[in-house]
Amino acid sequence: MIIEPARRTTGVQEYYFSRKQKDLDAVSARLRAEGDSLINLGIGAPDGMPPQAAIDALVASATTPGNHAYQNYKGLPAFREAIAGWYSRFYGVNLNPNGGIQPLVGSKEGILLISMAYVNPGDKVLVPDPGYPTYTSASNLVEAEVLTYDLKEENGWLPDFEALEAMDLEGVKIMWVNYPNMPTGAKATPELYQKLVDFALRHRILLVNDNPYSFILTGKPVSMLAAKGAEECCLELNSLSKAHNMSGWRIGMVCGAPELISEVLKVKSQMDSGMFKALQLAAVQALEQGQEWFDELNAEYSCRRERAGRIFDLLGAKYNPDTAGLFLWGRIDRKYATAAMTAGEALSERILHEAGVFITPGFIFGKNGQDYIRISLCAKPELLDKAFAKIEKAKDRIL
């Protein structure tokens, strides 16, 4: 190129699933020619329908004159009040709808916005390993120094606070936390959140909890903002993507003390001009769903988790059958590792090319995920059963 890109882009690369798509397309084309089809158990994109009341509100609002103009950067009062009511009913947290809630284009947007609002070049950022790759890429884009903290199976995929305290925390600005955890499915508890808040207060660190999975197979949703002292040091990202089957709608939020949210708004207001009014009014209806919505949702995911477990049993993977979130995470034998690939990646490739089923390799989430694979629960039970049958048929070539 004759135009040199910014140095900050050298620390990131195209997202794994975007890069992998070319390979998946090639396998899919081959299978179609053979009268078969690819089964993709990779990304966690819910396949169910959103609440009908949200769809009805979207249609009604989109056909109403005057609803297609720019909207307030802070969101409609009705939308912010609906978020506050949702947090109060399900999390037991009282949010200030007039400053303590900022709507987002999905919670993923908030990762970069918060990084831009709070991190200077050279500041340090604590990122979990394994963890969502965007925490690292957003930190790299703002030219931070990334410090990983280990999550390990023997510790229930929870932070090791002794190890954290032993780290050089001078200059650490943000700590990214994600419970219920992706990719491991480890669940949050009020006790865990309180320990994290106490740690952040001691070290004057901004603690950011990425909380989109809190309604999926958890039994009871928990928010970090319920912890004592959280208002002084915490922001929480949340979303309608997982809990309401609305991932493509891109409706998220960041919540916390107004003083912390105001800094995020400074950046956010430079980047767009408010969320489409019809989306906000639809979100109000989605957020009014009662416990029966979540009970039905979780009954379906529980069934799918059991089917995914059968696939892991077939592969000899070790896993916790009572994890939360949209994925099942399994440890495999290191014998599958090659000179070029980790065990998880090598087994994932074998399953893809021999059985026509894609299962995410754990290495993309960090070094602590190298011996793991992950199955998405965003596939109907019958599709998971079909994936089981395809893998079973090719088992001798895979294992």
Side-chain angles (χ1 to χ4, degrees):
M1 289 182 62
I2 60 171
I3 307 299
E4 184 178 347
R7 288 188 301 275
R8 69 178 65 90
T9 65
T10 61
V12 299
Q13 58 181 324
E14 186 182 358
Y15 196 49
Y16 170 81
F17 289 107
S18 179
R19 290 183 280 120
K20 188 63 179 175
Q21 192 59 51
K22 183 178 179 180
D23 191 21
L24 296 180
D25 289 344
V27 173
S28 183
R30 171 175 63 79
L31 291 172
R32 282 198 305 271
E34 298 170 356
D36 199 356
S37 59
L38 173 72
I39 297 179
N40 190 336
L41 302 179
I43 295 177
D47 59 321
M49 286 294 288
Q52 187 60 44
I55 296 173
D56 293 342
L58 177 72
V59 173
S61 182
T63 57
T64 300
N67 280 0
H68 297 269
Y70 288 133
Q71 297 299 310
N72 189 299
Y73 295 103
K74 297 181 180 181
L76 294 174
F79 181 28
R80 288 182 274 111
E81 288 164 5
I83 294 170
W86 184 56
Y87 258 80
S88 176
R89 292 195 310 278
F90 289 102
Y91 295 111
V93 171
N94 294 319
L95 297 175
N96 181 351
N98 299 313
I101 299 167
Q102 176 58 50
L104 301 172
V105 183
S107 59
K108 186 176 183 179
E109 180 197 29
I111 299 171
L112 184 57
L113 290 178
I114 292 168
S115 299
M116 294 178 68
Y118 283 98
V119 179
N120 294 311
D123 284 345
K124 297 175 184 177
V125 176
L126 285 169
V127 172
D129 179 353
Y132 187 33
T134 301
Y135 306 142
T136 296
S137 58
S139 300
N140 286 334
L141 284 170
V142 296
E143 302 178 86
E145 179 183 346
V146 175
L147 303 179
T148 58
Y149 65 94
D150 290 327
L151 306 179
K152 295 185 177 180
E153 184 176 1
E154 56 265 32
N155 199 34
W157 302 109
L158 303 179
D160 181 335
F161 285 92
E162 286 188 14
L164 280 168
E165 293 286 0
M167 294 177 70
D168 178 7
L169 300 173
E170 182 69 29
V172 172
K173 199 66 162 296
I174 290 178
M175 179 178 184
W176 291 101
V177 177
N178 169 218
Y179 289 96
N181 186 256
M182 195 294 295
T184 71
K187 298 179 182 180
T189 63
E191 292 76 21
L192 169 65
Y193 282 158
Q194 189 62 62
K195 289 182 71 174
L196 283 162
V197 169
D198 293 344
F199 171 80
L201 287 171
R202 278 197 305 276
H203 297 284
R204 300 182 62 84
I205 295 171
L206 177 63
L207 189 61
V208 186
N209 186 41
D210 191 11
N211 199 20
Y213 300 99
S214 55
F215 283 86
I216 309 299
L217 298 173
T218 58
K220 185 181 187 304
V222 184
S223 168
M224 182 177 286
L225 296 177
K228 183 179 178 181
E231 69 280 358
E232 299 178 47
C233 65
C234 296
L235 289 173
E236 183 161 273
L237 294 166
N238 216 322
S239 164
L240 276 66
S241 292
K242 304 345 184 200
H244 298 85
N245 294 335
M246 296 170 73
S247 58
W249 296 49
R250 310 312 302 134
I251 301 175
M253 69 229 42
V254 58
C255 307
E259 295 80 7
L260 294 173
I261 295 292
S262 65
E263 297 301 320
V264 180
L265 179 59
K266 287 181 185 178
V267 180
K268 170 76 170 169
S269 62
Q270 312 303 322
M271 299 173 65
D272 64 36
S273 298
M275 186 182 294
F276 179 34
K277 186 174 183 179
L279 285 175
Q280 296 187 65
L281 294 175
V284 169
Q285 294 302 314
L287 291 166
E288 291 299 320
Q289 298 303 302
Q291 186 61 47
E292 65 277 4
W293 165 265
F294 300 108
D295 289 344
E296 184 175 340
L297 191 72
N298 282 305
E300 175 67 14
Y301 280 126
S302 180
C303 175
R304 295 179 182 197
R305 183 177 57 186
E306 181 181 347
R307 298 301 216 286
R310 291 183 65 229
I311 296 174
F312 274 168
D313 291 338
L314 180 64
L315 294 171
K318 307 301 181 184
Y319 64 98
N320 180 351
D322 188 35
T323 51
L326 292 180
F327 307 98
L328 199 60
W329 177 251
R331 174 168 47 86
I332 59 166
D333 198 308
R334 288 185 178 177
K335 69 181 182 181
Y336 297 108
T338 68
M341 294 184 185
T342 65
E345 183 179 12
L347 183 59
S348 173
E349 289 297 303
R350 289 195 201 184
I351 297 169
L352 172 62
H353 292 284
E354 297 294 343
V357 177
F358 176 60
I359 295 175
T360 303
F363 83 96
I364 70 172
F365 305 107
K367 63 177 174 54
N368 291 333
Q370 291 182 354
D371 296 333
Y372 294 82
I373 53 177
R374 189 195 75 174
I375 294 177
S376 170
L377 304 184
C378 298
K380 290 180 171 53
E382 53 267 30
L383 193 61
L384 289 163
D385 288 343
K386 184 177 179 181
F388 176 92
K390 285 164 69 74
I391 294 171
E392 185 177 43
K393 184 177 179 180
K395 182 178 178 180
D396 291 342
R397 300 191 302 278
I398 293 172
L399 302 180

